[in-house]
Amino acid sequence: MAQEQYEKYYVPEQSIWPIVGAVALFLIAVGAGNFVIESTRDKTGYGFYILMAGIALLLIMITGWFKNQIDESMSGLYSAQLGRSYRQGMAWFIFSEVMFFMAFFGALFYARTISIPWLGGASNNASTNEVLWNGFQATWPLLTTPADAISTGEPSTQAMPWTGLPLINTALLLASSVTLHYAHVGLEKVKRTQLISLLSLTILLGAIFLVLQVQEYVHAYRDLGLTLDSGVYGNTFFLLTGFHGMHVTLGTIILIVLLGRCLKGHFTPKEHFAFQAGSWYWHFVDVVWVMLFFFVYIL
């Protein structure tokens, strides 16, 4: 009877990087929370420095963990079974990210279609708008906060239009998905020039997106009066666009790492799951932006 053949399954040694990543995320959460509170209250504190320390530690973690994974892959330690595990893991990770953004879109939906109409007198709730302030209008975006109504009775902020920078950023991300797809095609067809040039262009488009988003935030604060203090509209606007911007930043870092590996010839047409995983993540980020552009900016 022939002996059964089993594939090897590489189990890596214990790593310090998960705990380093957990500490980094903790510092980012604490630092970001304190920084926002300090900014809105014109206080000077340590929130910004804690946030920067967390981001620096996160970059160190990403660098170290990526290096270990690349070394393991190039040493031939991985098998087909481990490759399937990687695919399942990446699929579940993206699913968790979908749920992450669905929670924020759900909060936006609840505020727009349930809370604000209810405050305006829907569902036989005729007295609530009178309790808030005289002349309350249950419209979206809600540009007047209670403080504005009490002091001036006029809106203190303006809605961010979908034209201009948001529209340009939408075009940039859609174009980046196209360039990344054809970079992948170049990898599968062993067209190195196509791979390197289009992957570099994708990274450039992602970087331009981030620069324009910073300009959009400056415009929101300086010209529109749209801040984190601008009620539920300002909160949901910066929550959704800010977290998406963080994902674009992470995606751009991943693509830069992939570009370095492509330049070193790490991938082959049959063995390039790391490139596929980066592509999945980038396309997911693009799809989220299209939904965000439609529900936050246009509707």
Side-chain angles (χ1 to χ4, degrees):
M1 182 176 180
Q3 185 177 3
E4 294 185 14
Q5 298 294 322
Y6 294 95
E7 290 184 354
K8 62 179 181 179
Y9 193 93
Y10 173 70
V11 179
E13 298 178 357
Q14 292 184 352
S15 174
I16 193 176
W17 299 122
I19 187 63
V20 172
V23 173
L25 293 175
F26 174 77
L27 292 176
I28 289 174
V30 173
N34 282 276
F35 177 64
V36 170
I37 293 173
E38 292 160 3
S39 300
T40 56
R41 297 180 180 178
D42 294 326
K43 290 184 177 181
T44 301
Y46 298 99
F48 176 78
Y49 301 103
I50 296 174
L51 175 61
M52 291 299 102
I55 292 174
L57 191 60
L58 183 65
L59 291 176
I60 292 172
M61 181 275 293
I62 291 174
T63 302
W65 210 338
F66 276 19
K67 182 180 183 301
N68 289 352
Q69 194 277 335
I70 292 170
D71 291 341
E72 293 165 359
S73 176
M74 299 308 295
S75 298
L77 298 175
Y78 293 165
S79 64
Q81 175 59 39
L82 190 59
R84 289 189 288 272
S85 296
Y86 268 127
R87 283 168 171 78
Q88 293 173 3
M90 191 63 189
W92 281 113
F93 170 69
I94 291 179
F95 176 77
S96 71
E97 292 286 279
V98 170
M99 294 297 101
F100 178 82
F101 278 101
M102 285 299 294
F104 294 145
F105 280 112
L108 177 65
F109 173 82
Y110 183 85
R112 290 180 58 168
T113 62
I114 298 177
S115 293
I116 292 179
W118 186 82
L119 292 173
S123 301
N124 298 320
N125 186 41
S127 63
T128 307
N129 58 331
E130 298 177 1
V131 174
L132 292 173
W133 64 79
N134 186 31
F136 172 78
Q137 298 292 326
T139 59
W140 187 268
L142 192 61
L143 303 179
T144 304
T145 63
D148 303 325
I150 294 172
S151 59
T152 65
E154 298 293 334
S156 65
T157 186
Q158 301 177 51
M160 179 66 70
W162 64 269
T163 55
L165 291 177
L167 182 60
I168 294 173
N169 270 345
T170 302
L172 288 174
L173 278 191
L174 290 176
S176 71
S177 270
V178 176
T179 56
L180 183 58
H181 169 73
Y182 283 103
H184 191 187
V185 172
L187 173 58
E188 292 178 329
K189 295 186 177 180
V190 199
K191 294 182 179 180
R192 182 176 175 79
T193 301
Q194 177 178 327
L195 167 64
I196 300 300
S197 59
L198 290 182
L199 182 55
S200 300
L201 181 56
T202 304
I203 294 171
L204 178 61
L205 292 173
I208 294 174
F209 174 92
L210 293 172
V211 171
L212 293 183
Q213 188 168 47
V214 171
Q215 293 184 5
E216 180 185 354
Y217 280 7
V218 172
H219 171 60
Y221 266 75
R222 181 183 301 167
D223 304 323
L224 303 181
L226 180 58
T227 68
L228 287 170
D229 287 336
S230 302
V232 67
Y233 173 64
N235 294 162
T236 53
F237 174 82
F238 286 107
L239 185 72
L240 281 161
T241 59
F243 272 113
H244 179 268
M246 290 176 58
H247 283 72
V248 174
T249 302
L250 178 58
T252 303
I253 293 173
I254 292 173
L255 293 181
I256 292 173
V257 173
L258 293 177
L259 177 61
R261 296 193 65 183
C262 289
L263 290 172
K264 290 186 177 182
H266 284 187
F267 301 127
T268 66
K270 292 185 178 181
E271 299 292 337
H272 58 269
F273 174 68
F275 192 98
Q276 281 185 314
S279 298
W280 291 357
Y281 186 81
W282 190 259
H283 293 314
F284 158 75
V285 169
D286 289 356
V287 170
V288 170
W289 175 259
V290 172
M291 295 178 59
L292 191 152
F293 178 69
F294 184 73
F295 288 107
V296 175
Y297 289 94
I298 295 180
L299 289 183

